Amino acid sequence: MKLKSSEKTPAPKKTLPPEELLSVRDWLRFLMSRMGAAEVSFGQGFVDAWDEAVYLVLHTLHLPLDRLEPFLDAALTVDECERLMRVVERRCEEREPAAYITGEAWLGGLRFRVDPRVIIPRSHIFELMQDGFSPWLDDTGAPSRILDLCTGSACLAIAAAHTFPDAEVDAVDLSADALKVAQLNIHDHGLRDRVEVLHGDLFEPLEGRRYDLILSNPPYVTDAAMDALPEEFRKEPAMALGAGADGMDIVRRIVAEAGRHLNPGGLLLVEIGHNQAETEAALPDLPLVWLDTDSASAPVFLLRAEDLAQ
């Protein structure tokens, strides 16, 4: 039925917050209960409902992210409650990841802008970077040229630039949209003179460039795992996740080409998540060195330039 010109399309019904929710403490309990009932999935920057609920509530209320206790019993305004209710709906009903709701993600003390154009930053390589990749770089010293392949938001490139302040860093991605976000983050961190963004397929835009350290957190999700992904993970760019039947399509190419871009004594570190068995099956003739982190066993492998000599 066609509306008459004098008629207006009714506004979508607004979900009002329960009147019983008066304080920050109340909203934390409510959000955790709703996340539990909705069986939301974690792993995109948060490991459990408590940490994520605290982050979402404090961020929405523009409160310091590291100071919950003083505000637990603070009374909230009607506007604040309505904003929190919308966050609850987006997270629990629409299954939107927390980072896309807030527009930011954190690795350690580093903040990065994120949106659905990029995968949400999370990396075991970042954990290994906290001690300067010791002992693997102890003999060669700090790298002067670093490459971050499949850079996404440029989080690893930026973290590497902060960790190694004398290094120049290249950041490569096939997604032009992802690189737009990467450029914003590089600008935010004041690193435009040290981190260069290049658009292309892995090493394709890097003819003649060589590095002391190559880092990559590439797509490595198997086809079967892609089919079983929780809804939250389906909000992320599929090209940043899926990598064929065994998850090794991109990893094989990185290893095959990396030797031509490493300086003598240089290192290649590649993150593969839980795919140790698939990696060893795909690269049976290489002396893979498996690196553990505090949060995972063997999520990253290391190869030396000499292992990849061609």
Side-chain angles (χ1 to χ4, degrees):
M1 184 178 96
K2 188 174 181 179
L3 294 174
K4 297 179 181 178
S5 59
S6 60
E7 296 182 33
K8 293 183 179 179
T9 303
K13 188 175 180 181
K14 186 176 183 180
T15 302
L16 298 177
E19 294 181 357
E20 297 90 346
L21 301 178
L22 304 176
S23 68
V24 169
R25 190 188 302 274
D26 294 336
W27 277 97
L28 286 172
R29 197 281 308 161
F30 179 67
L31 178 51
M32 288 187 66
S33 294
R34 287 289 298 272
M35 286 195 288
E39 297 183 340
V40 302
S41 294
F42 303 100
Q44 293 167 298
F46 298 94
V47 297
D48 59 36
W50 170 252
D51 284 345
E52 187 166 315
V54 169
Y55 167 72
L56 284 170
V57 170
L58 292 177
H59 184 280
T60 302
L61 298 176
H62 305 291
L63 294 172
L65 298 181
D66 59 350
R67 296 188 63 197
L68 172 63
E69 191 66 31
F71 306 107
L72 275 172
D73 296 307
L76 304 183
T77 67
V78 171
D79 175 70
E80 288 173 330
C81 290
E82 289 179 350
R83 284 192 282 120
L84 283 169
M85 193 65 206
R86 179 58 184 142
V87 168
V88 173
E89 291 172 341
R90 291 175 68 179
R91 185 66 186 95
C92 301
E93 296 179 18
E94 300 169 26
R95 300 293 287 271
E96 193 172 353
Y100 290 162
I101 294 173
T102 64
E104 68 174 24
W106 294 78
L107 284 178
L110 302 178
R111 177 187 179 275
F112 301 99
R113 301 194 204 195
V114 295
D115 63 39
R117 292 176 291 180
V118 294
I119 189 172
I120 296 165
R122 49 192 185 270
S123 176
H124 296 291
I125 289 178
F126 178 81
E127 293 182 64
L128 295 167
M129 197 184 300
Q130 301 316 293
D131 62 0
F133 298 118
S134 180
W136 310 107
L137 288 176
D138 290 354
D139 292 337
T140 58
S144 60
R145 294 281 298 163
I146 301 172
L147 170 63
D148 176 22
L149 279 180
C150 308
T151 193
S153 62
C155 59
L156 285 182
I158 290 167
H162 285 303
T163 302
F164 304 105
D166 295 325
E168 294 182 359
V169 184
D170 288 343
V172 177
D173 206 286
L174 182 58
S175 169
D177 283 340
L179 291 182
K180 292 176 183 176
V181 180
Q183 292 277 28
L184 294 174
N185 284 320
I186 292 166
H187 177 270
D188 288 349
H189 285 264
L191 292 170
R192 286 184 296 176
D193 60 334
R194 292 181 50 221
V195 180
E196 181 181 357
V197 165
L198 298 105
H199 178 227
D201 186 8
L202 297 181
F203 295 96
E204 179 268 330
L206 300 171
E207 188 63 35
R209 300 194 187 196
R210 300 180 78 90
Y211 303 91
D212 305 308
L213 179 64
I214 298 176
L215 309 173
S216 185
N217 186 5
Y220 54 74
V221 181
T222 66
D223 287 345
M226 287 292 291
D227 291 339
L229 280 179
E231 190 171 347
E232 290 88 344
F233 290 82
R234 295 179 184 275
K235 306 286 188 184
E236 296 182 295
M239 68 179 293
L241 297 169
D246 63 353
M248 292 291 107
D249 285 2
I250 309 300
V251 172
R252 285 188 187 91
R253 292 180 56 207
I254 290 172
V255 171
E257 300 175 40
R260 293 193 295 273
H261 295 275
L262 277 171
N263 289 321
L267 300 179
L268 168 69
L269 276 75
V270 181
E271 185 161 337
I272 50 79
H274 301 293
N275 288 8
Q276 181 178 3
E278 290 83 354
T279 305
E280 291 177 339
L283 307 170
D285 300 322
L286 289 173
L288 303 172
V289 178
W290 291 101
L291 307 182
D292 296 334
T293 69
D294 290 340
S295 61
S297 174
V300 176
F301 70 81
L302 175 149
L303 287 166
R304 299 173 177 84
E306 291 68 27
D307 303 326
L308 299 166
Q310 296 185 12

